Amino acid sequence: MNTTQSTVSAAALLKSARSAVEQSYSCDDSLARAALHLIECATDVVVRLPERDLDSARDVLGLARAAVVTATVAVREIHDRERDDQATPAGPGRVVCGLDR
């Protein structure tokens, strides 16, 4: 598989992932928004990788930084949700899992 085919294949997988997230979660869900942002960053990287110039490399580095910030915020939110769930006793029939939708 050549670089162009790999790029198209990866971009298609990322597009499918984006559609799945959009269909499965509401746009109000901050973790879903974080996932969508990470998918967008990855898609932009995949599209720019075949371009082997300094500007593209800088763009990819910026996208990687944005992805790290987004992932960090998402992990913090998950941690905060789990901490809040542990602080609140589970009522009858309620299972505390930390990832309630």
Side-chain angles (χ1 to χ4, degrees), residues 7-23 35-36 38-40 42-44 46-47:
T7 300
V8 170
S9 177
L13 287 171
L14 289 164
K15 183 177 179 181
S16 295
R18 180 180 175 80
S19 294
V21 171
E22 287 175 331
Q23 291 173 5
L36 291 172
L38 291 171
I39 293 168
E40 289 169 7
T43 302
D44 288 344
V46 165
V47 169

Side-chain angles (χ1 to χ4, degrees), residues 10-86:
L13 287 171
L14 289 164
K15 183 177 179 181
S16 295
R18 180 180 175 80
S19 294
V21 171
E22 287 175 331
Q23 291 173 5
S24 298
Y25 299 93
S26 78
C27 62
D28 294 337
D29 188 318
S30 58
L31 292 178
R33 287 194 315 268
L36 291 172
H37 186 255
L38 291 171
I39 293 168
E40 289 169 7
C41 288
T43 302
D44 288 344
V45 168
V46 165
V47 169
R48 288 190 173 111
L49 280 179
E51 302 169 15
R52 298 174 197 253
D53 58 48
L54 190 55
D55 289 335
S56 293
R58 285 185 182 128
D59 288 344
V60 168
L61 181 59
L63 291 164
R65 287 179 178 148
V68 168
V69 170
T70 299
T72 302
V73 170
V75 168
R76 168 78 47 156
E77 182 167 326
I78 290 169
H79 178 266
D80 290 347
R81 283 185 187 181
E82 287 179 349
R83 188 179 61 216
D84 290 345
D85 284 347
Q86 289 174 358

